[in-house]
């Protein structure tokens, strides 16, 4: 088997891997990312920004803290626009959504895989490259700011926007976000991280009051933001729609001032989500620096702020601070002196290849009975490919976290697919992405002498119409006369159309029946899941192999085929728990009803911490993922350093027959009341050839051993505890104290 080694090259040169987990209020705990690259150092940028503010008139300042809404009229098709001050050399600033690619409404963009997939790669370098690659397109399109850094945690596994976040663990999410941020800003594009904070569900997203105690906030929900803010210095933090403990996030002074600006020393700007501002003086005095308006009720208009200054409810010093923060960010990132011009040429072929590479690193092999995968083309004469429009398209996530004008084919009218009707099909709600090389074609290319046949939803119907009994029978009949049956199932989700009712495959309905029927017809049935959320799999025991492909992006056809045929050895690990039943999840509540004002009553026991604390067996646990090779672990040593850090060392060996990459994970059981059994405190992704042994050393900083002590409103270092090293949160291979 020929295995593609990407991005192994960088790791191969390293003999000893040293990973530093994040931690408290020092550069020791959250050291800057390796490549933080700023056009100017902080002190110089502050001086320049300060001097510019002193030269600005009041009206110039007022225009600088309020973005005009006009999704369609923002230059370049962006989401917001701040007018510059030409006489002072301050350029215009255009911003655009960028979760999985540019959200420009008027310019073609590459659709990359969803960011939950990037988290599943557990590859920091990949996350940095992801942020960089998207930023390159943004700059060419004329955007100086990308809004793509979503990192609300997967408390609600049914949440509509899970695909554009980074999973359920704060360290994994924070580290991956820091890298992405850094990659973006290395290209002179300001990065935004969002949505700050407590915005873990779509239900009642504009009006919900998230009730989260301070310890849970600090240890879980704020931590990814803290890590990214300290390590990568994003230019902007976007406050969220919801209230947090009774006060709107965008006027919550505890959140924006006490924590973000004072405790964490954040020097950038706070921008509101679109329409998330609810007051003028309150919001400004709480720490909001810029309003993004949605055209109706607006609070930081020049007139409103001028009036607040006149009546003394906002000080001119605070207005200067708001403006200075934005100028500082523009200067530091290089946008001020080198603003993007737009109209550039994008290397779409290169971006497509990168999108494919990201997907190849993101896919998670969940089941592989008797090594059914990888497939060997030589032994297959007839291959059945079934379902999810695998002959033409892949699913992507809906809402602002999507590209709007994909280079592979427009979404509008279902992207040129022959779905027959465009009902419910479009970039926001049902975004099927047309592929240049669809999955069926990519499979055919790898198995040129096999007959590859497709069965599934007719393109003459709505793309989400239920599978009929007749279609299911046809698919089963095709499977019965084939050597292997590959079934694709899809779970659409997105922003603003609520959370999923259940983790069951529901849209189109009858997908479970389709899988069951195919599996009864052919014991060699492989299921590939396209989803942004965990999925229930009542058919898990009836099929031979399962691959989670997330929302695969425009390189998805080739990437999926490469994994199925072993040109790429899968190395992804789940960033989110896959439960057996909806009822097992911490937020199921009374018959799955949603809370309009969610109380985070499970406190620290969220994600895998919940399953561990309650002793509930998940279907596939956090951190889980198989490979076509096998890794063994040995030789754990835990050394305490005088500075409080732990050096955790061990050896991993690839004792299989093909090259592959493993993600050894370090968990810590912190002996303190209320703590869950284990928390992730570090990991590394190591690529190894067959027979190769790697020594891995992971540094666990004091913060990752600490708890938030509410009695003194600060971090408390907790000595001792048990160190676990595993291939997942439950597949613990080594243990020490
Ligand atoms: C609302 C979304 O919540 C946010 O993530 C996005 O950046 C803005 N709309 C702009 O499109």
């Amino acid at each position: 088997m020929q295995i593609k080694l990407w991005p192994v090259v960088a790791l191969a040169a390293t003999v000893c891997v040293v990973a530093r987990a994040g931690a408290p209020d020092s550069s020791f705990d959250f050291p800057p990312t390796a490549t933080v690259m700023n056009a100017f150092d902080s002190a110089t940028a502050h001086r320049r920004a300060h001097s510019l503010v002193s030269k600005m008139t009041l009206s110039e300042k007022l225009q600088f803290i309020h973005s005009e809404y006009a999704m369609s009229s923002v230059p370049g098709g962006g989401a917001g626009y701040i007018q510059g001050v030409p006489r002072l050399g301050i350029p215009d600033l255009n911003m655009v959504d960028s979760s999985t690619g540019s959200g420009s409404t008027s310019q073609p963009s590459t659709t990359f895989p969803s960011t939950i997939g990037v988290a599943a790669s557990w590859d920091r370098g990949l996350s940095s490259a992801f942020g960089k690659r998207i930023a390159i397109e943004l700059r060419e399109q004329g955007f100086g700011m990308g809004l793509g850094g979503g990192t609300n945690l997967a408390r609600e596994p049914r949440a509509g926007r899970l695909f554009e976040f980074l999973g359920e663990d704060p360290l994994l999410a924070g580290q991956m976000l820091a890298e992405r941020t850094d990659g973006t800003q290395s290209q002179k594009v300001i990065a935004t991280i969002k949505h700050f904070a407590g915005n873990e569900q779509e239900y009642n997203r504009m009006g919900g009051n998230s009730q989260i105690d301070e310890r849970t906030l600090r240890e879980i929900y704020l931590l990814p933001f803290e890590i990214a803010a300290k390590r990568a210095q994003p230019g902007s933090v976007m406050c969220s729609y919801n209230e947090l403990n009774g006060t709107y996030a965008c006027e919550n002074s505890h959140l924006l001032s006490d924590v973000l600006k004072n405790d964490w020393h954040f020097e950038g700007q706070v921008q509101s989500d679109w329409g998330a501002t609810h007051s003028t003086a309150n919001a400004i005095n709480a720490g909001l620096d810029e309003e993004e308006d949605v055209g109706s009720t607006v609070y930081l208009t020049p007139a409103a702020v001028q009036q607040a200054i006149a009546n003394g409810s906002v000080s001119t010093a605070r207005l200067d601070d708001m403006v200075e923060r934005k100028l500082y960010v523009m200067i530091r990132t290089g946008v001020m002196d080198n603003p993007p011009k737009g109209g550039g040429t994008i290397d779409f072929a290169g971006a497509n290849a990168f999108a494919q590479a990201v997907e190849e690193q993101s896919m998670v092999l969940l089941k592989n009975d008797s090594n059914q995968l990888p497939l060997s083309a030589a032994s297959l004469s007839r291959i059945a490919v079934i379902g999810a429009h695998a002959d033409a398209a892949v699913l992507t996530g809906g809402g602002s976290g999507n590209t709007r004008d994909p280079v592979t084919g427009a979404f509008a009218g279902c992207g040129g697919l022959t779905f027959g009707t465009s009902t419910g099909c479009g970039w926001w709600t049902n975004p099927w992405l047309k592929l240049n090389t669809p999955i069926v074609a990519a499979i055919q290319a790898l198995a040129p002498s096999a007959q590859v046949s497709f069965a599934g939803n007719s393109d003459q119907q709505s793309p989400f119409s239920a599978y009929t009994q007749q279609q299911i029978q046809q698919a089963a009949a095709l499977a019965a006369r084939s050597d292997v049956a590959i079934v694709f199932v899809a779970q659409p989700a997105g922003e603003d159309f609520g959370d999923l009712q259940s983790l069951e495959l529901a849209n189109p309905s009858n997908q479970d029946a389709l899988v069951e029927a195919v599996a009864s017809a052919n014991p060699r049935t492989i299921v590939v899941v396209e989803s942004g959320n965990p999925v229930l799999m009542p058919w898990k025991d009836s099929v031979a192999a399962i691959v989670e492909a997330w929302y695969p992006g425009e390189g998805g056809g080739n990437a999926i085929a490469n994994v199925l045929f072993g040109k790429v050895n899968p190395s992804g690990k789940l960033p989110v728990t896959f439960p057996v039943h909806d009822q097992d999840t911490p937020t199921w509540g009374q018959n799955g009803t949603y809370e309009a004002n969610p109380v985070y009553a499970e406190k620290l026991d969220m994600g895998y911490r919940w399953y561990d604390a309650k002793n509930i067996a998940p279907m596939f646990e956090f951190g889980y993922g198989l490979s076509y090779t096998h890794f063994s672990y040995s030789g754990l040593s835990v050394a305490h350093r005088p500075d409080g850090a732990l050096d955790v060392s061990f050896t991993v060996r690839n004792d299989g027959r093909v090259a592959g990459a493993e993600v050894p994970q370090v968990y810590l059981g912190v002996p303190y009341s209320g703590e869950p059994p284990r928390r992730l405190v570090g990991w590394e992704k190591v690529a190894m050839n067959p027979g190769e042994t790697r020594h891995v050393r992971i540094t666990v900083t004091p913060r990752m051993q600490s708890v938030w002590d509410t009695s003194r409103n600060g971090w408390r270092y907790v000595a001792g505890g048990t160190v676990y090293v595993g291939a997942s949160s439950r597949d613990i291979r080594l243990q020490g104290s």
Side-chain angles (χ1 to χ4, degrees), residues 450-692:
Q451 184 189 355
V452 182
S453 312
F454 178 75
N457 254 353
S458 159
D459 283 351
Q460 303 313 310
Q461 302 165 327
S462 160
F464 288 115
S465 59
Y467 285 99
T468 62
Q469 281 314 311
Q470 193 193 7
Q471 284 173 323
I472 292 174
Q473 278 159 15
Q474 281 167 353
L478 174 65
R481 56 176 190 271
S482 302
D483 301 319
V484 63
I486 309 168
V487 188
F488 287 80
V489 293
Q491 181 80 305
E495 176 185 350
D496 204 24
F497 49 106
D499 302 305
L500 302 173
Q501 295 299 304
S502 155
L503 298 176
E504 260 173 17
L505 289 170
N507 190 14
S509 47
N510 297 340
Q511 290 188 90
D512 286 339
L514 176 74
V515 176
E516 295 281 9
V518 171
S520 328
N522 189 329
R524 197 165 188 200
T525 291
I526 289 145
V527 179
V528 180
V529 183
E530 294 176 28
S531 75
N533 300 71
V535 164
L536 302 184
M537 302 177 182
W539 32 260
K540 178 188 144 218
D541 295 337
S542 328
V543 302
I546 306 171
V547 177
E548 172 58 69
W550 313 108
Y551 296 142
E554 68 173 50
N558 286 326
I560 290 170
N562 281 349
V563 164
L564 293 177
F565 283 85
K567 281 186 81 176
V568 170
N569 189 350
S571 59
K573 301 269 189 175
L574 291 180
V576 60
T577 304
F578 277 43
V580 179
H581 308 109
D582 280 310
Q583 290 77 355
D584 295 345
T585 64
T587 49
W588 186 250
Q590 296 290 317
N591 303 319
T593 46
Y594 290 98
E595 284 186 286
N597 298 304
V599 181
Y600 289 40
E602 72 287 351
K603 296 180 183 284
L604 303 174
D605 292 338
M606 188 271 283
Y608 61 92
R609 291 158 162 91
W610 166 266
Y611 295 85
D612 290 350
K614 304 288 175 201
N615 228 341
I616 301 171
M619 182 166 58
F620 299 115
E621 72 271 16
F622 174 84
Y624 170 84
L626 301 173
S627 165
Y628 294 151
T629 186
H630 178 265
F631 301 97
S632 60
Y633 289 60
S634 61
L636 175 65
S637 116
V638 180
H640 292 255
R641 296 195 335 205
D643 57 19
L646 295 177
D647 279 332
V648 179
S649 321
F650 51 93
T651 297
V652 183
R653 180 169 191 275
N654 178 353
D655 48 17
R657 299 200 355 231
V658 291
E662 172 65 322
V663 182
Q665 301 152 44
V666 179
Y667 294 86
L668 184 68
V670 178
Y672 196 81
S673 159
E675 286 301 314
R678 282 191 276 276
R679 58 162 82 158
L680 180 74
V681 291
W683 81 89
E684 199 48 72
K685 187 162 188 174
V686 273
M688 284 171 280
N689 287 315
E692 191 178 344

Side-chain angles (χ1 to χ4, degrees), residues 71 79 97 147 161 164 194-195 199 205 238 241 273-274 400 428 495:
M71 282 286 208
D97 282 302
L147 308 168
R161 301 184 76 174
E164 50 172 321
K194 66 186 186 184
H195 310 82
N199 192 187
R205 76 176 186 139
M238 186 191 293
Y241 285 123
D273 200 341
W274 271 240
S400 64
W428 187 272
E495 176 185 350

